[in-house]
Amino acid sequence: MSTQPTTDLEWNELDDRAVDTVRVLAMDAVQKVGNGHPGTAMSLAPAAYTLFQKVMRHDPADPQWTGRDRFVLSAGHSSLTLYIQLYLGGFGLELADLEAFRTWGSKTPGHPEYGHTAGVETTTGPLGQGVANAVGMAMSARYERGLFDPDAPAGTSPFDHHIWVVAGDGCLQEGISHEASSLAGHQKLGNLILLWDDNHISIEGDTAAAVSEDTVARYEAYGWHVQRVEQKPNGDLDPEALYQAFQEAKAVTDRPSFIAARSIIAWPAPNAQNTEAAHGSALGEEEVAATKRVLGFDPERHFEVDAGVLAHSRALGERGAEVHAAWDKQFAVWRQDNPARAVEFDRIRAGELPAGWADELPSFPAGQAVATRKASGEVLKALGPVLPELWGGSADLAGSNNTTIPGSASFLPADNPLTGADPYGRTVHNGIREHAMAAAMNGITLHGNTRVYGGTFLVFSDYMRNAVRLSALMHLPVTYVWTHDSIGLGEDGPTHQPVEHLASLRAIPGLNVVRPADANETVIAWREILRRYTKEYGVGAPHGLALTRQGVPTYEANDDTARGGYVMFEAEGPGGERAEPQAILIGTGSEVQLAVAAREQLQAEGVPTRVVSMPSVEWFDEQPQEYRDAVLPPAVKARVAVEAGVGMPWQRFVGDAGRVISLEHFGASADYKVLFREYGLTAEAVADAARESLRA
């Protein structure tokens, strides 16, 4: 079955009028609210219209259709470029939504927001993020095909589709786009097509002030197929030239495609075109009126849309339904030919986990010392055979992060010289590209039908932060595996020792940071994370696992780990009987053992002391107040929290009478045991702090 458009562009006067309508709507929407970015939406109108109406495979009636192409507007500030096409195509936006642009409660916020507006595939705005999201989507599409239809000839599978991304000058200046584009070229992602709006204008004016490299040559060097589309003699983008470039890009299947389209921002505004003011400001009533005259619109009318134009563009719904119906027939044949894979597809698509999956998880005997990063690796080893949708890798630290599922092939083009290269492999080699890795993980998750994780050292989460923030903003169930989580990594010294990172990451709304105390807590943490990623649970959230390099004592497993905080050791009286606690010691990660040892000292002195392990503040905060009060009784004022990092998150748990044993400065290069001793992260220090708190 072929769902590809013809090689000849079918274009008429209504298409011309529709493109000019896009420009008028962009001007009017920004002018009405008084702020926004009209210029790029005006100049890109022929490209966006051609893509949505003539090229992409999608169905306005079903924006979540599995077989659709994906569209990513990396230049998210030009959100009207997307919104107006969603309106014209009938995806659910109406003229009133464009009139409400950038206002409270509207479906058309200043930047596209995933989950807020039908047809928006990802939240964009921070420049370059969309490029990396699109790379992740292209990777996910390939892995998905490998799961469900690996033997079908190229272009014949219902899982074959394209990822389209529109990026601007700013996107391609941001470092993340360099990382992601390099990765895409290396992976030979032939399903990825990027259109660069080469308009030479940014907020500060001509981009010659900041950029001088040959961007097209740069993408050639990355291994992309490249094309350049020139303007018409009048300066406008040429739909015919764009269409042919899009078709040529689709025909290239052995590498990603890059199309440089030279445009004039705010074309054809008589005075505002090619100016920095048109990038991010309303054009002004006089300039809007003058531009409407140039385009043949009534300057006295606002948000003018000819009924014939709208009927013409809304015919996309009929075409989309036809393509969707043809795809459904192809998909039905696939289901009949692949019954076992179809069952697996339905399970994964429904956001379900296979029966008995948790029974495969390992357990660890109490008493032995195990690094939590190693325990995490054992979890992945156990889950690999039962969760084929689970895949991921590391930013060149797999041996340290323990993120490789044993026996799995490398996700690489078949002609890669690395032994075990497989385009459908599940071990991803992200290279030293932490930021692109995180944003690509967002794209993988947004694409759907797989579960992804990615690892690096906790200290390098700084490189990833904007993408992690967007994970939380979009409620995406991605898993970050951050190892070497404290000065416990030792001799590598302060450049590699995270101090402020846990506090900083916990400050991101919607991100769940999980720092297990031992191997068994690590297992339960993974179990809970995967359980939370099912649709049954509700709103998703990203998780960051903070794991130790060094071995830590293993304690008896406690399912209350999944509640974020629990009583690990109860207070006891002189005879070992349970007693009301006089002091509570709260620990996390590798410092729980300090609280346990301090408890022994205090108990020997006749002070009944409770130890609370709190692997996840966020999970604990979700619990009913009754449970939280049972773990941390309000009447017990003598409290100590201990963590080898900035202590800011813990003050609210210990109160005015409590104490926090923390690290408020950078570390040093030495054996981790020396560092813990020299910096006062000891059981003795915890016990002393408890004694002070008791006297407070």
Side-chain angles (χ1 to χ4, degrees):
M1 182 200 73
S2 174
T3 59
Q4 307 302 323
T6 62
T7 56
D8 296 323
L9 175 62
E10 299 176 1
W11 194 272
N12 58 36
E13 292 181 358
L14 281 174
D15 294 312
D16 283 327
R17 190 64 171 174
V19 168
D20 289 340
T21 298
V22 171
R23 291 169 164 140
V24 168
L25 292 174
M27 290 189 298
D28 281 347
V30 175
Q31 192 64 35
K32 182 175 186 294
V33 72
N35 53 78
H37 300 78
T40 299
M42 295 169 66
S43 57
L44 275 182
Y49 181 84
T50 301
L51 266 177
F52 270 76
Q53 292 285 328
K54 311 292 185 180
V55 177
M56 287 173 57
R57 183 174 76 181
H58 50 186
D59 180 2
D62 186 3
Q64 295 301 311
W65 168 33
T66 293
R68 73 192 184 280
D69 286 353
R70 271 65 162 179
F71 176 81
V72 175
L73 182 65
S74 188
H77 58 275
S78 184
S79 55
L80 285 166
T81 294
L82 176 54
Y83 295 152
I84 296 172
Q85 296 307 320
L86 296 178
Y87 160 63
L88 291 177
F91 285 81
L93 291 183
E94 298 299 341
L95 199 59
D97 297 309
L98 300 181
E99 293 174 340
F101 179 56
R102 294 172 75 103
T103 61
W104 176 263
S106 77
K107 296 179 182 179
T108 50
H111 293 81
E113 296 180 19
Y114 170 73
H116 185 79
T117 309
V120 172
E121 300 279 7
T122 180
T123 298
T124 54
L127 293 176
Q129 290 287 330
V131 173
N133 290 166
V135 171
M137 290 178 184
M139 294 168 65
S140 185
R142 191 169 90 193
Y143 188 75
E144 177 188 49
R145 194 189 199 277
L147 281 181
F148 303 122
D149 204 14
D151 301 321
T156 67
S157 171
F159 297 99
D160 289 332
H161 54 271
H162 287 89
I163 314 300
W164 301 88
V165 55
V166 170
D169 293 302
C171 291
L172 300 194
Q173 290 177 48
E174 284 285 359
I176 188 173
S177 70
H178 295 250
E179 292 183 22
S181 298
S182 170
L183 179 60
H186 178 70
Q187 287 287 352
K188 299 186 177 182
L189 299 174
N191 55 354
L192 174 65
I193 302 170
L194 186 154
L195 176 69
W196 172 36
D197 177 32
D198 179 20
N199 65 36
H200 292 202
I201 293 293
S202 64
I203 291 176
E204 293 186 1
D206 195 310
T207 54
V211 181
S212 56
E213 76 259 19
D214 185 337
T215 302
V216 172
R218 176 155 61 87
Y219 273 81
E220 286 181 328
Y222 288 145
W224 291 52
H225 170 260
V226 302
Q227 302 176 73
R228 181 173 281 283
V229 176
E230 300 298 339
Q231 305 151 304
K232 292 179 179 179
N234 67 359
D236 195 9
L237 287 175
D238 183 352
E240 177 68 39
L242 286 165
Y243 182 81
Q244 296 303 328
F246 293 149
Q247 294 297 84
E248 182 176 337
K250 291 177 69 173
V252 175
T253 60
D254 63 345
R255 49 191 162 150
S257 289
F258 180 84
I259 302 170
R262 180 70 175 99
S263 66
I264 297 177
I265 197 168
W267 193 93
N271 303 298
Q273 66 176 275
N274 206 35
T275 66
E276 59 266 32
H279 170 86
S281 303
L283 300 187
E285 292 182 4
E286 292 185 6
E287 186 71 0
V288 170
T291 307
K292 287 180 179 178
R293 293 188 188 97
V294 170
L295 295 171
F297 283 71
D298 184 348
E300 300 301 320
R301 295 184 63 186
H302 305 294
F303 296 94
E304 180 182 354
V305 181
D306 182 84
V309 165
L310 188 60
H312 180 66
S313 64
R314 290 279 171 98
L316 175 62
E318 298 173 9
R319 299 192 298 275
E322 291 176 0
V323 172
H324 195 161
W327 182 91
D328 284 342
K329 292 180 180 178
Q330 183 190 24
F331 191 62
V333 171
W334 170 82
R335 295 185 71 93
Q336 184 175 1
D337 293 343
N338 299 272
R341 286 178 175 148
V343 170
E344 198 82 297
F345 173 84
D346 291 341
R347 174 186 68 77
I348 295 170
R349 182 70 173 166
E352 298 173 353
L353 293 164
W357 70 276
D359 297 336
E360 303 302 317
L361 291 169
S363 61
F364 295 86
Q368 69 179 97
V370 180
T372 55
R373 62 168 176 157
K374 185 176 187 301
S376 175
E378 291 298 311
V379 170
L380 293 175
K381 177 181 178 181
L383 292 179
V386 294
L387 295 181
E389 68 269 34
L390 182 66
W391 66 307
S394 173
D396 200 55
L397 288 168
S400 295
N401 299 149
N402 292 71
T403 50
T404 299
I405 295 175
S408 59
S410 293
F411 181 83
L412 286 168
D415 62 355
N416 186 282
L418 192 70
T419 301
D422 183 343
Y424 303 138
R426 73 194 304 179
T427 297
V428 182
H429 303 279
N430 293 286
I432 306 167
R433 304 182 182 99
E434 293 92 348
H435 200 180
M437 176 181 72
M441 289 165 64
N442 287 343
I444 289 168
T445 304
L446 288 161
H447 180 273
N449 296 338
T450 67
R451 296 168 182 258
V452 70
Y453 62 86
T456 188
F457 289 177
L458 178 58
V459 74
F460 300 137
S461 64
D462 282 342
Y463 284 129
M464 310 163 67
R465 189 177 181 87
N466 192 246
V468 174
R469 182 177 188 270
L470 285 167
S471 301
L473 186 62
M474 290 188 274
H475 306 287
L476 298 182
V478 300
T479 304
Y480 300 105
V481 180
W482 289 317
T483 69
H484 297 59
D485 69 346
S486 73
I487 58 170
L489 69 87
E491 290 85 353
D492 275 341
T495 61
H496 283 51
Q497 294 167 357
V499 172
E500 73 279 19
H501 296 73
L502 290 166
S504 175
L505 290 165
R506 289 181 182 127
I508 298 177
L511 172 66
N512 295 332
V513 178
V514 187
R515 189 170 184 243
D518 69 350
N520 285 323
E521 282 195 2
T522 304
V523 173
I524 296 169
W526 263 111
R527 186 183 71 191
E528 176 67 6
I529 288 169
L530 291 169
R531 184 184 74 82
R532 285 170 174 250
Y533 288 0
T534 61
K535 288 186 177 179
E536 178 182 351
Y537 190 83
V539 177
H543 287 81
L545 277 165
L547 305 172
T548 67
R549 172 186 183 269
Q550 74 276 24
V552 291
T554 302
Y555 303 102
E556 295 290 343
N558 190 319
D559 283 340
D560 281 341
T561 297
R563 306 188 77 166
Y566 67 97
V567 178
M568 176 181 272
F569 289 100
E570 188 53 275
E572 296 177 345
E577 71 282 5
R578 179 172 175 174
E580 290 299 314
Q582 295 180 18
I584 299 174
L585 308 180
I586 307 168
T588 178
S590 54
E591 288 72 71
V592 167
Q593 62 182 305
L594 303 182
V596 173
R599 172 184 176 272
E600 293 179 2
Q601 295 182 28
L602 294 168
Q603 287 277 154
E605 297 168 9
V607 180
T609 303
R610 171 182 290 182
V611 170
V612 170
S613 177
M614 194 174 291
S616 177
V617 167
E618 295 80 17
W619 289 354
F620 187 69
D621 284 341
E622 293 174 1
Q623 304 309 312
Q625 187 66 50
E626 295 79 9
Y627 176 81
R628 286 179 281 153
D629 287 347
V631 174
L632 300 174
V636 182
K637 304 298 184 183
R639 302 181 182 185
V640 178
V642 54
E643 184 171 67
V646 170
M648 181 169 43
W650 298 104
Q651 194 60 50
R652 68 184 176 98
F653 290 103
V654 301
D656 292 341
R659 301 290 186 269
V660 177
I661 303 296
S662 61
L663 192 64
E664 306 297 326
H665 53 77
F666 296 123
S669 179
D671 178 83
Y672 79 91
K673 295 179 181 178
V674 173
L675 293 175
F676 274 82
R677 182 184 70 242
E678 293 297 323
Y679 292 145
L681 291 160
T682 64
E684 291 74 15
V686 174
D688 285 344
R691 296 180 188 105
E692 287 184 16
S693 185
L694 284 162
R695 294 192 295 267

